[in-house]
Amino acid sequence: MKLKTLTFVVLASVAALTGCEDKTSVEWYTAHHDDMLKKYEECYISHTWEAEDCYHAKTALHREMNKPGVLTAYKAIVEKANKLRQLAPVADLN
């Protein structure tokens, strides 16, 4: 009886661990363009390229740049960021 219980626990643990998908890998972002673009925009606007998920989203974006819609979305992200930067107050250094 203990062997059956132990076998069940081991198999359940393996199934649970293999079911977890790393949602911040380059491969995951490559397969999920909407999430890649959302994360890239967040990182682009906040300049947080040091974060691993930002780096992976950026890498995936560059790999997928030739896919339909990605280049258009990238240009929209850059344009939105530029508009936000123009609206940001500039510090008076005098």
Side-chain angles (χ1 to χ4, degrees):
M1 190 66 169
K2 283 187 174 185
L3 183 59
K4 287 182 181 179
T5 304
L6 180 61
T7 303
F8 174 75
V9 169
V10 169
L11 289 176
S13 298
V14 170
L17 291 175
T18 57
C20 297
E21 186 178 9
D22 181 13
K23 294 185 177 181
T24 62
S25 68
V26 174
E27 292 75 22
W28 190 86
Y29 281 126
T30 300
H32 300 88
H33 286 179
D34 290 339
D35 294 317
M36 172 189 67
L37 292 166
K38 182 178 176 184
K39 187 61 169 179
Y40 183 84
E41 179 178 358
E42 175 187 319
C43 299
Y44 189 85
I45 290 172
S46 65
H47 298 286
T48 54
W49 299 115
E50 299 81 26
E52 185 177 8
D53 54 343
C54 289
Y55 176 76
H56 290 168
K58 181 180 181 180
T59 302
L61 179 91
H62 288 290
R63 286 185 185 174
E64 297 294 298
M65 193 64 81
N66 62 346
K67 301 289 171 129
V70 175
L71 181 60
T72 305
Y74 168 75
K75 288 179 180 179
I77 290 169
V78 171
E79 186 176 318
K80 179 179 178 182
N82 288 338
K83 285 181 182 178
L84 289 173
R85 289 182 186 127
Q86 288 174 355
L87 295 174
V90 177
D92 184 12
L93 300 176
N94 291 330

